[in-house]
């Protein structure tokens, strides 16, 4: 029996702010347990929240990047529940008037529509030890943006593509670092499977707290297979929440849900409604070129391949470096090749990023210009590049210091070619008789005579002209 999967994602994104959502405590990964806390984020009686306007701006920024409808007025609500990681026994979130609704994320072949984007405070983090549990409230109160999709993702691969695209947009827009290892991007997955002949959606199975994009893909693939097999055996699927064990590659039952939780939402009496007009006016000039548009522009403007454009755009800093290096270059394709091959390899070997690079963009452009104008060969350029990477010197400085400038003086090369032709009558005769390979031998003799400094392309042209 063929089955159809309908997948919806709830993506939780920690925003790139210096302080928490409703207090002045610092947002800092790796601090000591409970180091960044105060009466507000600990939920002590009488403490009052104060709204972080930069978190509002970043959420609206995201909404504009994803083509959402922005609510003219939005408000915060209390979502009431008991969890040990929420000391107030309620979470300040948004219910019926979120900041953003609708919108979409573009995939290569279609768009995935969004339901909403709302803003809330993150909860604390629990650490389970052998016989006790510790709670670190450093994360409690961190601005958390939730992006909810329509249940129209059709496969684990499409979910992977959606998350990869969304992460790229968030990083490119400066909204979040979206580092999943630091918990800055987490995902709940809702998947329902139904027979192909059934119109209505199947029972919703939720997979909680996914913290890697590849894990999402594996968990959804497992669930799709598991639910399909249950349906084939005639069993009935029920709404439930499951976890994901990355070591075993399986989901496991956490709890069943016969009905949705009643969180008893009501407007937070300590926070006034948000008028968004002035905030949108501040944010709109910040909206950057989206990755999809940048990829298309790189292909057209710099005449590089779609694959090269995708690799460059995937890293905001790498794309910026490329554009700086390609500015005014006659052959930007060569710039891309050197960055993606030689420069990336050198950085990887030293465990560095492009921001640690000792070769400024303009210095790389200068190196490639030396190849184009014949001052050095491609082989010599590799030697020059290695020295530039270590010392930080310019290409011209390295060439002059090493005395490796390529010999391109036509007069000097003609004399060398004449000498080689005179000393090698047999290869000369062989070439004239139609043995094209003999030209390589003669070119090699000129290179040897010049101690490797002769321009090999120019040498080949001179030899062919003299041996006609």
């Amino acid at each position: 029996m063929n089955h159809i999967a309908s997948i919806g994602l709830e993506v939780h994104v920690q925003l790139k702010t210096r302080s928490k959502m409703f207090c002045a405590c610092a947002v800092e990964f790796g601090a000591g347990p409970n180091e960044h806390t105060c009466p507000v984020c600990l939920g002590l009686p009488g403490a009052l929240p104060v709204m972080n306007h930069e978190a509002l701006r970043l959420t609206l920024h995201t909404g504009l990047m994803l083509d959402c409808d922005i609510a003219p007025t939005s408000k915060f609500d209390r979502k009431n529940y008991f969890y040990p990681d929420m000391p107030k026994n309620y979470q300040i979130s948004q219910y019926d008037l979120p900041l953003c609704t609708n919108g979409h994320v573009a995939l290569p072949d279609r768009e995935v529509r969004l339901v909403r984007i709302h803003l809330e405070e993150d909860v604390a983090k629990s650490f389970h030890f052998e016989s006790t549990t510790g709670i670190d409230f450093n994360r409690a109160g961190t601005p958390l943006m939730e992006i909810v999709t329509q249940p129209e993702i059709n496969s684990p691969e499409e979910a992977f593509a959606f998350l990869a695209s969304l992460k790229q947009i968030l990083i490119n827009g400066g909204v979040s670092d979206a580092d999943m290892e630091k918990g800055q991007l987490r995902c709940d997955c809702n998947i329902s499977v139904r027979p192909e002949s059934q119109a209505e959606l199947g029972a919703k199975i939720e997979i909680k707290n996914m913290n890697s994009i590849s894990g999402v893909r594996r968990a959804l693939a497992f669930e799709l297979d598991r639910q399909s097999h249950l349906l084939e055996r005639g069993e009935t699927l029920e709404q439930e929440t499951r976890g994901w064990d990355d070591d075993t590659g399986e989901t496991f039952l956490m709890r069943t849900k016969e009905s949705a939780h009643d969180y008893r939402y009501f407007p937070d009496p300590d926070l006034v409604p948000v008028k968004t007009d002035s905030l949108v006016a501040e944010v709109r000039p910040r909206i950057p070129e989206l990755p999809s548009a940048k990829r298309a522009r790189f292909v057209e403007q710099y005449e590089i391949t779609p694959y090269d454009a995708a690799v460059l755009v995937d890293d905001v800093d790498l794309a910026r470096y490329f554009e700086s290096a390609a500015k005014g270059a006659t052959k930007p394709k060569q710039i891309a090749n050197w960055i993606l091959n030689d420069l990336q390899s050198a950085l990887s070997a030293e465990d560095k990023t492009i921001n640690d690079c000792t070769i400024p963009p303009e210095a790389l452009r200068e190196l490639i210009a030396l190849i184009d104008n014949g001052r050095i060969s491609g082989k010599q350029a590799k030697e020059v590049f290695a020295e530039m990477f270590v010392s930080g010197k310019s290409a011209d400085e390295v060439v002059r210091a090493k005395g490796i400038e390529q010999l391109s003086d036509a007069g000097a090369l003609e004399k060398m070619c004449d000498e080689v032709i005179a000393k090698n009558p047999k290869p000369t005769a062989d070439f004239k008789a139609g043995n094209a390979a003999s030209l390589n031998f003669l070119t090699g003799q000129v290179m040897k005579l010049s101690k490797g400094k002769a321009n090999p392309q120019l040498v080949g042209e001179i030899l062919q002209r003299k041996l006609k």
Side-chain angles (χ1 to χ4, degrees):
M1 183 187 297
N2 292 326
H3 295 93
I4 297 174
S6 297
I7 300 167
L9 302 178
E10 299 171 12
V11 185
H12 305 269
V13 181
Q14 280 193 8
L15 294 174
K16 199 172 182 177
T17 59
R18 289 180 296 176
S19 59
K20 294 185 180 182
M21 184 64 221
F22 298 110
C23 67
C25 289
V27 175
E28 179 189 356
F29 181 80
N34 299 303
E35 188 173 312
H36 297 307
T37 58
C38 73
V40 174
C41 56
L42 289 176
L44 300 184
L48 294 174
V50 177
M51 215 176 294
N52 185 331
H53 281 208
E54 182 60 15
L56 294 172
R57 293 185 192 96
L58 291 175
T59 303
L60 294 172
H61 185 137
T62 305
L64 292 174
M65 288 193 296
L66 300 182
D67 201 26
C68 294
D69 297 325
I70 307 299
T73 302
S74 182
K75 66 178 176 67
F76 285 92
D77 302 279
R78 290 187 179 182
K79 180 181 181 181
N80 297 273
Y81 61 94
F82 172 75
Y83 280 120
D85 52 12
M86 180 51 67
K88 300 190 295 288
N89 286 339
Y90 66 84
Q91 179 188 34
I92 302 178
S93 182
Q94 294 191 295
Y95 180 51
D96 57 330
L97 287 177
L99 286 164
C100 312
T101 54
N102 302 316
H104 64 268
V105 171
L107 301 184
D109 55 348
R110 73 182 190 93
E111 295 175 348
V112 174
R113 293 177 300 158
L114 305 179
V115 176
R116 59 191 278 147
I117 302 176
H118 67 261
L119 185 56
E120 60 191 21
E121 58 179 340
D122 207 347
V123 298
K125 188 172 183 178
S126 300
F127 293 85
H128 302 291
F129 307 110
E130 186 174 343
S131 59
T132 59
T133 293
I135 302 179
D136 184 1
F137 286 96
N138 283 341
R139 194 176 72 181
T142 298
L144 194 67
M145 179 174 64
E146 183 168 346
I147 302 172
V148 183
T149 77
Q150 295 283 0
E152 59 185 27
I153 297 172
N154 299 318
S155 69
E157 291 72 26
E158 200 167 73
F160 181 93
F162 171 87
L163 288 171
S165 179
L166 177 62
K167 181 178 178 179
Q168 194 178 57
I169 291 169
L170 296 171
I171 295 173
N172 192 70
V175 170
S176 172
D177 290 332
D179 188 333
M180 299 189 86
E181 291 185 1
K182 295 180 179 179
Q184 296 169 346
L185 186 68
R186 311 191 294 274
C187 184
D188 296 339
C189 310
N190 298 306
I191 177 171
S192 66
V193 176
R194 68 185 190 276
E196 200 171 38
S197 58
Q198 180 179 312
E200 65 272 16
L201 296 178
K204 183 178 74 172
I205 310 295
E206 184 177 25
I207 310 172
K208 292 289 287 185
N209 297 326
M210 301 297 301
N211 58 10
S212 79
I213 296 178
S214 60
V216 167
R217 178 166 57 185
R218 294 195 302 275
L220 289 173
F222 175 85
E223 269 303 298
L224 177 57
D225 186 63
R226 185 187 73 86
Q227 293 181 36
S228 296
H229 277 89
L230 290 175
L231 291 174
E232 286 170 1
R233 293 204 301 262
E235 298 187 34
T236 301
L237 296 172
E238 295 184 358
Q239 183 175 335
E240 61 186 27
T241 298
R242 302 180 71 85
W244 168 251
D245 188 324
D246 204 50
D247 293 329
T248 64
E250 297 179 347
T251 62
F252 58 89
L253 180 65
M254 295 175 67
R255 57 183 178 270
T256 58
K257 274 188 175 181
E258 293 184 357
S259 59
H261 285 302
D262 178 12
Y263 291 117
R264 295 176 291 115
Y265 281 99
F266 62 85
D268 191 301
D270 296 327
L271 295 165
V272 298
V274 177
K275 300 290 186 181
T276 62
D277 287 352
S278 60
L279 292 172
V280 169
E282 288 181 51
V283 166
R284 198 175 291 279
R286 298 187 193 177
I287 305 303
E289 181 181 34
L290 292 183
S292 57
K294 185 175 289 186
R295 285 192 296 270
R297 179 172 63 80
F298 275 19
V299 170
E300 181 179 356
Q301 181 176 343
Y302 299 114
E303 298 180 342
I304 63 176
T305 66
Y307 175 81
D308 287 351
V311 175
L312 289 167
V313 172
D314 191 50
D315 185 323
V316 175
D317 296 321
L318 195 64
R320 187 179 299 117
Y321 183 97
F322 167 72
E323 289 229 73
S324 296
K327 187 177 181 181
T330 56
K331 296 180 179 178
K333 170 62 177 169
Q334 288 189 23
I335 300 277
N337 289 341
W338 275 83
I339 290 174
L340 296 176
N341 296 307
D342 300 80
L343 186 56
Q344 286 285 72
S345 295
L347 290 170
S348 179
E350 296 290 328
D351 196 25
K352 294 180 177 179
T353 70
I354 193 66
N355 292 326
D356 305 316
C357 184
T358 53
I359 303 177
E362 58 275 13
L364 183 63
R365 182 172 65 243
E366 177 196 0
L367 172 65
I368 295 169
L370 293 182
I371 304 171
D372 291 342
N373 63 29
R375 281 188 63 190
I376 58 175
S377 66
K379 184 178 179 180
Q380 290 170 326
K382 301 285 185 181
E383 182 183 348
V384 174
F385 173 85
E387 176 62 27
M388 291 171 66
F389 189 81
V390 172
S391 67
K393 294 179 180 178
S394 70
D396 189 65
E397 285 178 308
V398 175
V399 167
R400 292 182 185 279
K402 287 182 171 290
I404 59 174
E405 191 163 353
Q406 185 170 252
L407 179 58
S408 297
D409 180 85
L413 291 178
E414 291 214 14
K415 289 179 182 178
M416 291 184 185
C417 289
D418 289 337
E419 184 178 341
V420 166
I421 290 171
K423 289 181 178 180
N424 296 276
K426 187 178 185 306
T428 297
D430 289 344
F431 179 75
K432 290 181 177 181
N435 186 354
S438 296
L439 183 67
N440 294 332
F441 173 79
L442 295 170
T443 301
Q445 293 303 301
V446 176
M447 296 300 296
K448 185 177 179 181
L449 185 62
S450 70
K451 298 180 180 179
K453 292 186 176 183
N455 184 325
Q457 183 178 348
L458 191 52
V459 168
E461 293 172 1
I462 293 172
L463 285 171
Q464 288 188 66
R465 173 164 46 82
K466 288 183 174 289
L467 297 174
K468 278 185 180 179

